[in-house]
Amino acid sequence: MKIAILGAGESGVGAALLAQAKGIDVFVSDMGQIKDQYKAKLATAAIPFEEGTHTLDRILDANEIIKSPGIPDKAAVIQEAAKKKIPVISEIEFAGRYTDAKFICITGTNGKTTTTLLTYHLLKNAGLNVGLAGNIGESLAEKVVENKHEYYVVELSSFQLDNMYDFKAHVAVLTNITPDHLDRYDYSMDKYADSKLRITQNMTGSDFFVFNADDENIAKAFDSANYAGTTVPFSLQGAAGAKVYFEDSSIKVDAKFYEGMVNTSKSGLIGKHNQYNTMAAVAVAKLLGVEDGAIATALETFENAEHRLQQVGIAKEVTYINDSKATNVEAVWYALEGIKQPIVWIAGGVDKGNDYNSLVELAREKVKVLVCLGKDNEKLKQVFGRVVPIIAETTSIEYAVRLSRSLATPGDVVLLSPACASFDLFNNYEHRGQRFKEAVEKIVLKK
């Protein structure tokens, strides 16, 4: 048995290590430069690899190819594999062959990372033997080498799902489906939705599908009549048949022998989108037998991934929040909607064809100052100039923080929620968020 692995990042190197552990002849090929940390792992394990090229003869000599999620099917090497009818699979598909653990798999256009981290946190704090892997940045295959967990919580992108065939989730979670990555799906929402719903494939009567019943695209694409497992829809809008919903500040779960009432009043998560994420995670915890009180206690201690409505600090009764991950209008809508205090809003960057109209009424109601952080702020100024009392602009994150501090009053929130990509001034959204945190810590918190 020979396997070729395309891409030497987290998933590719993890797959290589698992293949070697199972006695498989493995070769790794990456068209780019391999990061030192991954090159070191391959070298230490004496796994042959190449970088900066694809040697087709060696790759196409494989019985099976495992490819990085970032490589599209139209790539030349994948097209050549298709001509030779060599199966192409994902690292997740490969890893699933070598463990009897149960998988809790989470996907969705938005919210999947928060939902994944929260689900893992709830289960781990309840004492379950659980691992974390997938699109969150940790290789499932590498974890399966030791295979010491009874459960794995796995975040899945549509790209990973596209190359999964026999893999089966025990609990599948779909947070929502909104337009994204459509260039990989012939600009078809139907094809993109079908990709997301691959998360339910191969499920049986003992499995569960937890999904957002308020999402129109899920309702359109999901054929419940042909689903073998138990459906567990969650809703904030009173959807018919919802099994998970809010009653005041508690989440009610009523799903076929799995019932609970979980108090969320001490959760630090902000906004309506995080209510959806929390319903999904709580539903999973209940399906796996976690007690209501244990879930409520764990909600208090959860810290979200960086740059997602992350509280940086409080000074002079002003709260500073880093939401740099909000690179689209929908994400900013959730941030503005979820914050109840007056807002000094820092936004801007590389506009992606944004339509800001959905934010206008929220801005009129809540935003007292808009600080435009970008090289071209004309669109922001044009849209919000008539509804926000004070608008300023800068290309300096430090100046944006200083200005926000000077204009904020006790009880306000200074919110970095850009609605734009970061590449005019920063390397990526993480870099932007980190620079914001550093500026707040130095200028405001005096750390």
Side-chain angles (χ1 to χ4, degrees):
M1 177 70 172
K2 293 182 179 180
I3 285 182
I5 296 175
L6 302 180
E10 180 71 17
S11 67
V13 171
L17 293 170
L18 177 59
Q20 186 192 61
K22 299 304 176 182
I24 298 170
D25 184 350
V26 59
F27 172 65
V28 179
S29 177
D30 196 313
M31 275 296 287
Q33 296 301 304
I34 302 174
K35 290 182 179 179
D36 289 344
Q37 68 194 82
Y38 297 125
K39 198 180 298 186
K41 281 189 175 184
L42 293 171
T44 299
I47 294 172
F49 66 89
E50 65 180 358
E51 58 182 337
T53 188
H54 284 322
T55 303
L56 279 180
D57 288 347
R58 189 164 186 181
I59 293 168
L60 299 179
D61 188 44
N63 304 103
E64 193 168 47
I65 291 173
I66 300 171
K67 81 173 182 69
S68 162
I71 300 173
D73 288 340
K74 63 184 179 183
V77 64
I78 303 301
Q79 293 293 308
E80 291 299 318
K83 289 177 186 176
K84 293 197 67 173
K85 295 184 168 51
I86 302 172
V88 178
I89 64 170
S90 74
E91 171 239 348
I92 304 294
E93 173 79 5
F94 181 63
R97 298 173 182 173
Y98 298 101
T99 178
D100 292 325
K102 292 184 176 180
F103 295 107
I104 297 94
C105 296
I106 298 164
T107 195
T109 308
N110 296 303
K112 59 182 176 290
T113 297
T114 297
T115 304
T116 299
L117 291 173
L118 180 57
T119 300
Y120 172 72
H121 180 76
L122 298 183
L123 300 182
K124 185 175 176 61
N125 275 264
L128 276 70
N129 179 11
V130 58
L132 177 68
N135 195 55
I136 198 77
E138 298 188 35
S139 167
L140 176 62
E142 187 168 354
K143 291 179 183 295
V144 167
V145 172
E146 294 187 6
N147 199 25
K148 60 184 180 181
H149 297 295
E150 184 180 356
Y151 298 93
Y152 288 99
V153 179
V154 185
E155 179 185 324
L156 295 174
S157 69
S158 58
F159 300 160
Q160 289 168 314
L161 287 161
D162 288 337
N163 292 105
M164 291 166 58
Y165 304 98
D166 297 323
F167 183 96
K168 181 181 80 72
H170 174 50
V171 182
V173 178
L174 181 52
T175 59
N176 50 56
I177 301 175
T178 60
D180 201 11
H181 305 302
L182 294 186
D183 56 320
R184 288 275 289 257
Y185 298 97
D186 299 325
Y187 297 93
S188 166
M189 271 298 293
D190 289 343
K191 289 183 179 180
Y192 177 55
D194 288 345
S195 176
K196 286 296 189 188
L197 281 161
R198 288 173 69 88
I199 199 168
T200 64
Q201 66 189 1
N202 305 316
M203 296 179 81
T204 66
S206 62
D207 302 319
F208 302 91
F209 180 37
V210 179
F211 67 93
N212 184 346
D214 297 335
D215 188 285
E216 294 179 359
N217 289 314
I218 295 176
K220 178 183 175 184
F222 176 54
D223 181 6
S224 59
N226 288 321
Y227 174 68
T230 299
T231 55
V232 186
F234 57 90
S235 173
L236 281 178
Q237 300 175 12
K243 302 296 185 184
V244 186
Y245 47 88
F246 269 87
E247 288 186 359
D248 298 321
S249 61
S250 293
I251 293 174
K252 173 71 173 176
V253 180
D254 184 10
K256 192 179 180 181
F257 312 123
Y258 303 93
E259 298 182 351
M261 181 71 80
V262 176
N263 188 328
T264 68
S265 61
K266 294 185 178 180
S267 168
L269 291 173
I270 298 169
K272 187 175 291 185
H273 64 310
N274 278 323
Q275 288 183 297
Y276 281 111
N277 298 336
T278 305
M279 282 192 290
V282 167
V284 173
K286 291 305 300 177
L287 293 172
L288 297 184
V290 182
E291 296 293 330
D292 296 356
I295 298 173
T297 299
L299 286 174
E300 292 183 47
T301 59
F302 175 66
E303 293 184 8
N304 201 359
E306 287 196 310
H307 318 300
R308 293 164 172 84
L309 285 171
Q310 177 190 28
Q311 182 174 300
V312 178
I314 301 174
K316 296 183 178 178
E317 299 179 50
V318 175
T319 302
Y320 293 79
I321 293 178
N322 168 24
D323 193 33
S324 185
K325 181 65 168 63
T327 60
N328 57 51
V329 169
E330 181 181 28
V332 175
W333 187 93
Y334 282 121
L336 296 179
E337 186 275 337
I339 294 171
K340 305 310 178 186
Q341 304 97 308
I343 297 169
V344 177
W345 178 27
I346 303 172
V350 179
D351 185 276
K352 299 188 290 186
N354 290 348
D355 180 353
Y356 293 110
N357 286 325
S358 63
L359 302 179
V360 168
E361 287 309 310
L362 281 171
R364 188 193 309 275
E365 175 189 349
K366 296 186 175 185
V367 177
K368 58 189 286 187
V369 178
L370 170 59
V371 179
C372 301
L373 178 64
K375 290 184 177 179
D376 182 0
N377 304 305
E378 291 308 309
K379 192 171 178 180
L380 283 168
K381 292 191 294 182
Q382 180 182 352
V383 173
F384 296 105
R386 64 186 186 275
V387 298
V388 176
I390 300 173
I391 294 184
E393 57 182 326
T394 182
T395 57
S396 164
I397 192 75
E398 290 80 12
Y399 180 78
V401 169
R402 289 184 190 279
L403 183 63
S404 298
R405 180 188 61 174
S406 68
L407 294 174
T409 56
D412 290 352
V413 169
V414 173
L415 170 70
L416 171 67
S417 193
C420 297
S422 57
F423 305 120
D424 56 342
L425 299 174
F426 307 96
N427 299 335
N428 47 44
Y429 78 82
E430 292 102 332
H431 181 219
R432 175 172 57 193
Q434 185 61 36
R435 287 285 306 281
F436 175 73
K437 287 175 60 182
E438 290 169 356
V440 170
E441 288 171 354
K442 179 181 178 180
I443 297 166
V444 178
L445 304 178
K446 307 295 185 183
K447 289 188 177 180

